[in-house]
């Protein structure tokens, strides 16, 4: 159903593709390999359209997955929330935030919800 590629160099040489069957397999594969390889790319088995892409340890496509990952790493998991780290994560995921905003946890959650709803249907 899917082909998973682990790139040795971003956009360059890659290892032979691994077959994946389900969306859960795709998610687990990306989580397992995104920190070890500069690029992980998942395509549908029948074509070369990108279904999921992680660059330098960060999911960048689909955008909804990128936002969910930011929420998980910077809001759900940490003991204390850090506004600057949250803004940097947004920037790396392709969602730049204004530099002068100082987010609280609740404001960050609200902001992510607005972003998520704003990209409805884009992926």
């Amino acid at each position: 159903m899917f082909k998973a590629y682990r790139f040795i160099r971003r956009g360059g040489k890659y290892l032979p593709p691994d077959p994946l069957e389900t969306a859960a397999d795709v998610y687990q594969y990306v989580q397992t390999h995104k920190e070890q390889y500069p690029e992980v790319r998942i395509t549908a088995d029948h074509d070369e359209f990108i279904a999921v892409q992680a660059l330098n340890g960060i999911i960048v496509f689909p955008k909804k997955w990128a936002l969910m990952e930011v929420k998980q790493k910077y809001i759900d998991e940490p003991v204390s929330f850090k506004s600057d780290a949250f803004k940097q994560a947004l920037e790396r995921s392709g969602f730049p935030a204004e530099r002068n905003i100082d987010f609280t946890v609740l404001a960050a959650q609200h902001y992510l919800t607005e972003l998520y709803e704003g990209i409805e249907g884009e992926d």
Side-chain angles (χ1 to χ4, degrees):
M1 185 165 201
F2 299 98
K3 290 188 278 187
Y5 298 89
R6 292 169 288 152
F7 284 76
I8 297 167
R9 280 178 294 148
R10 189 172 156 185
K13 190 173 181 178
Y14 54 85
L15 299 172
D18 295 310
L20 302 173
E21 292 297 319
T22 67
D25 294 339
V26 168
Y27 183 78
Q28 186 59 46
Y29 189 92
V30 172
Q31 292 302 319
T32 300
H33 297 292
K34 69 181 179 156
E35 300 290 336
Q36 299 168 330
Y37 295 92
E39 181 176 2
V40 175
R41 187 183 303 171
I42 312 296
T43 64
D45 195 25
H46 61 280
D47 58 36
E48 294 302 313
F49 290 110
I50 295 174
V52 179
Q53 185 176 30
L55 301 173
N56 300 320
I58 299 165
I59 296 172
V60 295
F61 186 83
K63 292 296 185 185
K64 288 182 179 181
W65 280 30
L67 289 174
M68 289 186 326
E69 185 170 57
V70 169
K71 181 179 182 296
Q72 178 185 5
K73 281 185 169 181
Y74 295 92
I75 295 176
D76 296 345
E77 291 178 1
V79 174
S80 64
F81 177 78
K82 295 184 173 112
S83 181
D84 286 338
F86 174 73
K87 288 189 285 189
Q88 289 170 6
L90 286 173
E91 180 89 24
R92 288 189 307 269
S93 296
F95 297 95
E98 292 182 31
R99 298 269 182 225
N100 61 350
I101 296 175
D102 191 26
F103 286 100
T104 64
V105 174
L106 290 175
Q109 289 174 329
H110 182 71
Y111 189 72
L112 284 175
T113 300
E114 286 180 0
L115 286 173
Y116 192 86
E117 290 171 353
I119 60 171
E120 198 71 36
E122 285 186 21
D123 293 334

Short mmCIF file of all heavy atoms in Angstrom, two decimals, residues 10 30-31 33-41 52-63 65-67 69-70 73-74 85 88-95:
data_model
loop_
_atom_site.label_atom_id
_atom_site.label_comp_id
_atom_site.label_asym_id
_atom_site.label_seq_id
_atom_site.Cartn_x
_atom_site.Cartn_y
_atom_site.Cartn_z
N ARG A 10 19.64 14.09 2.13
CA ARG A 10 18.34 14.69 1.84
C ARG A 10 18.18 14.94 0.34
O ARG A 10 19.00 15.61 -0.27
CB ARG A 10 18.22 15.99 2.62
CG ARG A 10 16.87 16.59 2.58
CD ARG A 10 16.80 17.74 3.54
NE ARG A 10 15.77 18.65 3.14
CZ ARG A 10 15.52 19.79 3.71
NH1 ARG A 10 16.26 20.18 4.73
NH2 ARG A 10 14.57 20.56 3.28
N VAL A 30 7.81 6.34 10.42
CA VAL A 30 8.32 7.71 10.45
C VAL A 30 8.88 8.04 11.83
O VAL A 30 9.97 8.60 11.95
CB VAL A 30 7.23 8.72 10.02
CG1 VAL A 30 7.69 10.16 10.23
CG2 VAL A 30 6.85 8.50 8.56
N GLN A 31 8.14 7.70 12.88
CA GLN A 31 8.61 7.97 14.24
C GLN A 31 9.92 7.25 14.53
O GLN A 31 10.80 7.78 15.21
CB GLN A 31 7.55 7.58 15.27
CG GLN A 31 6.31 8.45 15.25
CD GLN A 31 6.62 9.92 15.48
OE1 GLN A 31 7.44 10.28 16.30
NE2 GLN A 31 5.97 10.77 14.71
N HIS A 33 12.31 6.27 12.32
CA HIS A 33 13.46 6.61 11.47
C HIS A 33 13.74 8.09 11.27
O HIS A 33 14.81 8.44 10.78
CB HIS A 33 13.29 5.95 10.10
CG HIS A 33 13.27 4.46 10.17
ND1 HIS A 33 14.37 3.71 10.51
CD2 HIS A 33 12.27 3.57 9.95
CE1 HIS A 33 14.07 2.43 10.50
NE2 HIS A 33 12.79 2.31 10.18
N LYS A 34 12.83 8.97 11.64
CA LYS A 34 13.01 10.40 11.31
C LYS A 34 14.21 11.05 11.99
O LYS A 34 14.77 12.01 11.47
CB LYS A 34 11.74 11.19 11.61
CG LYS A 34 11.44 11.31 13.08
CD LYS A 34 10.17 12.06 13.31
CE LYS A 34 9.94 12.11 14.80
NZ LYS A 34 9.12 13.20 15.18
N GLU A 35 14.63 10.52 13.14
CA GLU A 35 15.78 11.09 13.84
C GLU A 35 17.11 10.55 13.29
O GLU A 35 18.15 11.17 13.46
CB GLU A 35 15.71 10.78 15.34
CG GLU A 35 14.47 11.33 16.03
CD GLU A 35 14.46 12.83 16.16
OE1 GLU A 35 15.54 13.44 16.14
OE2 GLU A 35 13.35 13.40 16.27
N GLN A 36 17.07 9.39 12.64
CA GLN A 36 18.28 8.74 12.16
C GLN A 36 18.68 9.14 10.74
O GLN A 36 19.83 8.97 10.36
CB GLN A 36 18.11 7.22 12.19
CG GLN A 36 17.84 6.67 13.57
CD GLN A 36 17.40 5.22 13.51
OE1 GLN A 36 16.78 4.79 12.54
NE2 GLN A 36 17.72 4.49 14.55
N TYR A 37 17.72 9.61 9.96
CA TYR A 37 17.97 9.92 8.56
C TYR A 37 17.58 11.37 8.27
O TYR A 37 16.60 11.86 8.82
CB TYR A 37 17.18 8.98 7.65
CG TYR A 37 17.63 7.55 7.80
CD1 TYR A 37 17.02 6.70 8.71
CD2 TYR A 37 18.69 7.06 7.05
CE1 TYR A 37 17.44 5.39 8.87
CE2 TYR A 37 19.13 5.76 7.19
CZ TYR A 37 18.51 4.93 8.11
OH TYR A 37 18.94 3.64 8.27
N PRO A 38 18.31 12.05 7.38
CA PRO A 38 17.97 13.45 7.10
C PRO A 38 16.63 13.63 6.39
O PRO A 38 16.03 14.69 6.45
CB PRO A 38 19.13 13.93 6.21
CG PRO A 38 19.75 12.70 5.68
CD PRO A 38 19.49 11.60 6.66
N GLU A 39 16.16 12.54 5.75
CA GLU A 39 14.84 12.60 5.12
C GLU A 39 14.22 11.21 5.16
O GLU A 39 14.88 10.21 4.86
CB GLU A 39 14.93 13.07 3.67
CG GLU A 39 13.59 13.17 2.98
CD GLU A 39 13.66 13.72 1.57
OE1 GLU A 39 14.77 14.01 1.07
OE2 GLU A 39 12.59 13.85 0.96
N VAL A 40 12.95 11.17 5.52
CA VAL A 40 12.13 9.96 5.42
C VAL A 40 10.94 10.36 4.56
O VAL A 40 10.27 11.37 4.84
CB VAL A 40 11.66 9.45 6.80
CG1 VAL A 40 10.71 8.28 6.65
CG2 VAL A 40 12.85 9.08 7.67
N ARG A 41 10.69 9.57 3.53
CA ARG A 41 9.61 9.90 2.60
C ARG A 41 8.75 8.65 2.39
O ARG A 41 9.27 7.58 2.10
CB ARG A 41 10.19 10.35 1.27
CG ARG A 41 9.18 10.87 0.29
CD ARG A 41 9.80 11.24 -1.03
NE ARG A 41 10.86 12.23 -0.91
CZ ARG A 41 11.67 12.58 -1.90
NH1 ARG A 41 11.54 12.02 -3.09
NH2 ARG A 41 12.62 13.47 -1.71
N VAL A 52 3.76 11.21 3.25
CA VAL A 52 4.34 11.73 4.49
C VAL A 52 5.80 12.03 4.22
O VAL A 52 6.49 11.27 3.52
CB VAL A 52 4.23 10.70 5.65
CG1 VAL A 52 4.86 11.25 6.91
CG2 VAL A 52 2.79 10.30 5.89
N GLN A 53 6.29 13.13 4.82
CA GLN A 53 7.70 13.48 4.68
C GLN A 53 8.20 14.07 5.98
O GLN A 53 7.54 14.93 6.59
CB GLN A 53 7.89 14.49 3.55
CG GLN A 53 9.34 14.81 3.27
CD GLN A 53 9.48 15.73 2.07
OE1 GLN A 53 8.61 16.55 1.79
NE2 GLN A 53 10.58 15.61 1.37
N ALA A 54 9.36 13.60 6.41
CA ALA A 54 10.04 14.15 7.57
C ALA A 54 11.43 14.60 7.13
O ALA A 54 12.13 13.87 6.42
CB ALA A 54 10.15 13.12 8.69
N LEU A 55 11.82 15.81 7.54
CA LEU A 55 13.13 16.35 7.22
C LEU A 55 13.84 16.71 8.51
O LEU A 55 13.28 17.40 9.36
CB LEU A 55 12.99 17.60 6.34
CG LEU A 55 12.29 17.42 5.00
CD1 LEU A 55 12.07 18.77 4.33
CD2 LEU A 55 13.09 16.50 4.10
N ASN A 56 15.06 16.22 8.63
CA ASN A 56 15.89 16.51 9.81
C ASN A 56 15.14 16.27 11.12
O ASN A 56 15.20 17.08 12.03
CB ASN A 56 16.42 17.94 9.73
CG ASN A 56 17.26 18.16 8.50
OD1 ASN A 56 18.05 17.30 8.11
ND2 ASN A 56 17.08 19.30 7.86
N GLY A 57 14.43 15.17 11.19
CA GLY A 57 13.76 14.77 12.43
C GLY A 57 12.40 15.38 12.67
O GLY A 57 11.80 15.16 13.71
N ILE A 58 11.87 16.14 11.70
CA ILE A 58 10.60 16.84 11.88
C ILE A 58 9.65 16.50 10.75
O ILE A 58 10.02 16.60 9.57
CB ILE A 58 10.82 18.36 11.93
CG1 ILE A 58 11.73 18.72 13.10
CG2 ILE A 58 9.50 19.11 12.03
CD1 ILE A 58 12.28 20.10 13.03
N ILE A 59 8.44 16.11 11.09
CA ILE A 59 7.43 15.87 10.06
C ILE A 59 7.03 17.21 9.47
O ILE A 59 6.66 18.14 10.18
CB ILE A 59 6.19 15.16 10.65
CG1 ILE A 59 6.57 13.77 11.16
CG2 ILE A 59 5.06 15.07 9.61
CD1 ILE A 59 5.48 13.05 11.92
N VAL A 60 7.12 17.31 8.14
CA VAL A 60 6.76 18.56 7.46
C VAL A 60 5.54 18.39 6.55
O VAL A 60 4.94 19.38 6.14
CB VAL A 60 7.94 19.14 6.65
CG1 VAL A 60 9.08 19.54 7.57
CG2 VAL A 60 8.44 18.16 5.60
N PHE A 61 5.18 17.15 6.25
CA PHE A 61 4.01 16.88 5.43
C PHE A 61 3.45 15.53 5.81
O PHE A 61 4.20 14.59 6.00
CB PHE A 61 4.38 16.88 3.93
CG PHE A 61 3.18 16.74 3.05
CD1 PHE A 61 2.42 17.85 2.73
CD2 PHE A 61 2.81 15.50 2.55
CE1 PHE A 61 1.29 17.72 1.92
CE2 PHE A 61 1.69 15.37 1.75
CZ PHE A 61 0.94 16.47 1.43
N PRO A 62 2.16 15.40 5.95
CA PRO A 62 1.13 16.42 5.79
C PRO A 62 1.16 17.42 6.94
O PRO A 62 1.61 17.12 8.04
CB PRO A 62 -0.17 15.63 5.78
CG PRO A 62 0.12 14.35 6.48
CD PRO A 62 1.58 14.09 6.29
N LYS A 63 0.69 18.60 6.66
CA LYS A 63 0.74 19.69 7.63
C LYS A 63 0.00 19.35 8.93
O LYS A 63 0.41 19.75 10.00
CB LYS A 63 0.18 20.99 7.03
CG LYS A 63 1.06 21.56 5.95
CD LYS A 63 2.41 21.96 6.51
CE LYS A 63 3.26 22.65 5.48
NZ LYS A 63 4.60 22.94 6.00
N TRP A 65 -0.18 16.44 10.36
CA TRP A 65 0.73 15.62 11.16
C TRP A 65 1.80 16.49 11.79
O TRP A 65 2.20 16.26 12.93
CB TRP A 65 1.37 14.53 10.29
CG TRP A 65 0.51 13.35 10.04
CD1 TRP A 65 -0.85 13.30 9.95
CD2 TRP A 65 0.97 12.02 9.82
NE1 TRP A 65 -1.26 12.03 9.69
CE2 TRP A 65 -0.17 11.22 9.59
CE3 TRP A 65 2.22 11.43 9.77
CZ2 TRP A 65 -0.08 9.86 9.33
CZ3 TRP A 65 2.30 10.07 9.50
CH2 TRP A 65 1.16 9.30 9.30
N ALA A 66 2.27 17.49 11.04
CA ALA A 66 3.29 18.39 11.58
C ALA A 66 2.76 19.12 12.82
O ALA A 66 3.44 19.21 13.84
CB ALA A 66 3.73 19.39 10.51
N LEU A 67 1.53 19.62 12.73
CA LEU A 67 0.94 20.31 13.87
C LEU A 67 0.69 19.37 15.05
O LEU A 67 0.92 19.74 16.21
CB LEU A 67 -0.38 20.99 13.46
CG LEU A 67 -0.24 22.19 12.55
CD1 LEU A 67 -1.62 22.67 12.10
CD2 LEU A 67 0.53 23.31 13.22
N GLU A 69 2.41 16.78 15.77
CA GLU A 69 3.72 16.48 16.36
C GLU A 69 4.19 17.63 17.26
O GLU A 69 4.72 17.41 18.34
CB GLU A 69 4.74 16.18 15.27
CG GLU A 69 6.07 15.76 15.85
CD GLU A 69 7.01 15.25 14.80
OE1 GLU A 69 7.30 15.99 13.83
OE2 GLU A 69 7.46 14.11 14.95
N VAL A 70 3.99 18.86 16.81
CA VAL A 70 4.35 20.02 17.65
C VAL A 70 3.56 19.98 18.95
O VAL A 70 4.10 20.18 20.03
CB VAL A 70 4.10 21.35 16.89
CG1 VAL A 70 4.22 22.55 17.83
CG2 VAL A 70 5.09 21.49 15.73
N LYS A 73 4.96 17.14 21.22
CA LYS A 73 6.31 17.37 21.77
C LYS A 73 6.39 18.58 22.71
O LYS A 73 7.17 18.57 23.65
CB LYS A 73 7.32 17.58 20.65
CG LYS A 73 7.78 16.33 19.99
CD LYS A 73 8.86 16.67 18.99
CE LYS A 73 9.57 15.45 18.49
NZ LYS A 73 10.63 15.80 17.54
N TYR A 74 5.65 19.63 22.41
CA TYR A 74 5.85 20.88 23.13
C TYR A 74 4.71 21.27 24.07
O TYR A 74 4.87 22.17 24.87
CB TYR A 74 6.14 22.01 22.14
CG TYR A 74 7.44 21.75 21.43
CD1 TYR A 74 7.48 21.07 20.23
CD2 TYR A 74 8.65 22.14 22.00
CE1 TYR A 74 8.67 20.79 19.59
CE2 TYR A 74 9.84 21.87 21.38
CZ TYR A 74 9.85 21.20 20.18
OH TYR A 74 11.04 20.92 19.56
N ALA A 85 10.59 27.68 22.60
CA ALA A 85 10.76 26.36 21.99
C ALA A 85 9.56 26.03 21.12
O ALA A 85 9.70 25.47 20.03
CB ALA A 85 10.97 25.30 23.07
N GLN A 88 9.81 28.03 17.90
CA GLN A 88 10.85 27.45 17.03
C GLN A 88 10.35 26.18 16.35
O GLN A 88 10.62 25.94 15.18
CB GLN A 88 12.12 27.17 17.83
CG GLN A 88 12.84 28.43 18.25
CD GLN A 88 13.96 28.15 19.25
OE1 GLN A 88 14.27 27.01 19.55
NE2 GLN A 88 14.56 29.22 19.76
N ALA A 89 9.60 25.36 17.09
CA ALA A 89 9.04 24.14 16.52
C ALA A 89 8.03 24.48 15.42
O ALA A 89 8.00 23.82 14.38
CB ALA A 89 8.38 23.30 17.61
N LEU A 90 7.22 25.49 15.64
CA LEU A 90 6.29 25.93 14.61
C LEU A 90 7.04 26.36 13.36
O LEU A 90 6.68 25.97 12.24
CB LEU A 90 5.42 27.08 15.11
CG LEU A 90 4.32 26.77 16.10
CD1 LEU A 90 3.68 28.05 16.60
CD2 LEU A 90 3.27 25.85 15.47
N GLU A 91 8.09 27.12 13.54
CA GLU A 91 8.91 27.62 12.42
C GLU A 91 9.50 26.46 11.63
O GLU A 91 9.42 26.42 10.40
CB GLU A 91 10.03 28.51 12.97
CG GLU A 91 10.94 29.08 11.92
CD GLU A 91 10.45 30.40 11.37
OE1 GLU A 91 9.69 31.09 12.06
OE2 GLU A 91 10.85 30.72 10.25
N ARG A 92 10.09 25.48 12.32
CA ARG A 92 10.69 24.32 11.65
C ARG A 92 9.64 23.49 10.90
O ARG A 92 9.95 22.85 9.90
CB ARG A 92 11.41 23.43 12.66
CG ARG A 92 12.70 24.02 13.19
CD ARG A 92 13.49 23.01 14.00
NE ARG A 92 12.73 22.39 15.06
CZ ARG A 92 12.64 22.85 16.32
NH1 ARG A 92 13.29 23.94 16.66
NH2 ARG A 92 11.92 22.20 17.22
N SER A 93 8.41 23.52 11.38
CA SER A 93 7.34 22.75 10.75
C SER A 93 6.64 23.52 9.64
O SER A 93 5.69 23.02 9.04
CB SER A 93 6.31 22.33 11.80
OG SER A 93 6.91 21.46 12.73
N GLY A 94 7.09 24.73 9.38
CA GLY A 94 6.52 25.52 8.29
C GLY A 94 5.40 26.45 8.70
O GLY A 94 4.64 26.93 7.86
N PHE A 95 5.28 26.75 10.00
CA PHE A 95 4.24 27.65 10.51
C PHE A 95 4.89 28.75 11.35
O PHE A 95 4.84 28.72 12.57
CB PHE A 95 3.25 26.86 11.39
CG PHE A 95 2.49 25.81 10.66
CD1 PHE A 95 2.94 24.49 10.67
CD2 PHE A 95 1.34 26.12 9.97
CE1 PHE A 95 2.24 23.51 10.00
CE2 PHE A 95 0.64 25.13 9.28
CZ PHE A 95 1.09 23.83 9.30
#
